Amino acid sequence: MGDAKAPVILLIMGLGTQMIAWPEAFCVALARRGFRIVRFDNRDIGLSTKFETAAPIDLAGAFARAMAGKSVDAPYTLDDMAADAIGLMDALGIGNAHVVGASMGGMIAQIIAARFANRTRSLTSIMSSSGDPSLPPGKPEATSALLAPRPHPDDRENVIKAGMTILRVIGSPGFPTSEADLRAKVEQAADRSYYPPGAGRHLLAILASGSRVELLKQIRVPTLVIHGADDPLVPIQGGEDTARHISGAALKIIPGMGHDLANGLVPILVEAIADHCLAVDATQVRGSAGTAVAKDSKNVP
């Protein structure tokens, strides 16, 4: 959405979560600030390609190997998912974009900023992490809710109840979501696409990809890191560590924010992201103008 000629903001969503998790109001507000908004389903989720022929998922074994510092086998990695996003940009004719990612999407966005700097106008990493294994884990109740077995697709009511349980546990205590809104979000997602195996393989991709600390040190694009002070799934240290390793990164901590994009957070997030992207665009325009003047000046006798 937004003006087709405007600078693009590419939105990358997190683990097992469809593109519709970027709230409509959030997208509309960013478009009104002068951007073209592009959101999409990652591979293995939503309406994108499913990896149904992949080997059965052994999350317990994968976690054990990861905790022991061993390699984890996965059908694909976060690098593959970053390449997907670049492929989407190619297909849409987008030369470069402001890349904004949430949670696992933040990890993918970090990789894009490091490996595809020429395609990245700026980076915004939201409620994500550097992947450093020494960082504090999420609260047990949050990780347990995320890893709990999912109901059968035919049992719609339990699918919805399970989804609501997850959102309650990881949600923002300072920006509570009503039961009606919570149910509406989960119903919309469940009716559009319900595919738990994809979420499992997303988690394998994260475990297989390991730490991004050294990669973060390579990022040179303007970066904003946003994190909730009350995130129960990816503690605040994840955001702090991400910002610490990216040269010049700005860190915005939001009190009361958990691991969601609650309606009450939308104005705060829109302002922070739009201001960041607009400042980058203004700097690049000034830089381009300065370069043009410098080149012309060489031709002046």
Side-chain angles (χ1 to χ4, degrees):
M1 64 182 67
D3 185 345
K5 296 181 180 179
V8 173
I9 292 181
L10 181 70
L11 301 175
I12 309 176
M13 193 26 79
L15 186 152
T17 309
Q18 302 174 62
M19 70 178 203
I20 55 174
W22 293 106
E24 194 78 6
F26 171 83
C27 298
V28 169
L30 282 176
R32 287 176 176 165
R33 292 293 300 269
F35 299 98
R36 179 186 180 195
I37 309 305
V38 177
R39 52 181 174 168
F40 67 102
D41 289 326
N42 285 308
R43 60 167 66 191
D44 231 357
I45 210 69
L47 305 183
S48 284
T49 303
K50 310 299 191 299
F51 285 66
E52 295 174 340
T53 60
I57 300 168
D58 178 15
L59 286 180
F63 268 107
R65 290 187 64 83
M67 293 299 291
K70 299 179 180 178
S71 63
V72 174
D73 292 329
Y76 49 82
T77 66
L78 296 180
D79 282 85
D80 295 318
M81 300 178 82
D84 288 344
I86 295 298
L88 173 65
M89 290 172 63
D90 289 343
L92 295 177
I94 298 170
N96 54 54
H98 297 286
V99 183
V100 178
S103 197
M104 180 189 75
M107 303 173 191
I108 296 169
Q110 293 164 16
I111 293 170
I112 292 172
R115 301 201 189 283
F116 301 93
N118 63 319
R119 307 297 297 274
T120 311
R121 295 177 76 88
S122 73
L123 165 65
T124 300
S125 179
I126 307 171
M127 55 190 181
S128 194
S129 167
S130 67
D132 188 332
S134 67
L135 290 170
K139 292 183 178 180
E141 58 269 28
T143 53
S144 295
L146 195 69
L147 299 176
R150 302 296 177 89
H152 191 276
D154 292 339
D155 190 353
R156 183 176 184 274
E157 187 56 31
N158 275 329
V159 166
I160 292 166
K161 286 181 178 178
M164 292 176 69
T165 296
I166 293 172
L167 293 185
R168 283 193 202 98
V169 172
I170 68 174
S172 298
F175 303 87
T177 302
S178 70
E179 287 294 294
D181 285 346
L182 210 60
R183 185 177 184 91
K185 286 183 179 182
V186 176
E187 284 183 337
Q188 182 188 24
D191 291 342
R192 183 173 184 265
S193 176
Y194 175 69
Y195 190 64
R201 287 190 286 269
H202 282 182
L203 186 51
L204 281 182
I206 293 173
L207 295 174
S209 299
S211 172
R212 288 174 303 286
V213 167
E214 294 307 313
L215 195 68
L216 295 180
K217 295 176 182 178
Q218 301 174 26
I219 294 176
R220 293 294 180 267
V221 303
T223 298
L224 171 64
V225 177
I226 300 175
H227 214 98
D230 299 286
D231 192 325
L233 188 63
V234 182
I236 189 173
Q237 290 88 345
E240 292 171 338
D241 199 55
T242 299
R244 183 181 304 119
H245 294 298
I246 300 176
S247 177
L251 175 62
K252 181 177 179 64
I253 301 298
I254 302 177
M257 178 179 173
H259 201 81
D260 68 349
L261 302 178
N263 293 340
L265 284 165
V266 166
I268 299 171
L269 295 173
V270 167
E271 181 180 14
I273 295 168
D275 287 352
H276 171 62
C277 296
L278 288 169
V280 170
D281 288 342
T283 300
Q284 291 178 351
V285 168
R286 287 197 299 271
S288 299
T291 301
V293 169
K295 288 180 179 179
D296 290 344
S297 65
K298 294 179 181 179
N299 299 322
V300 176

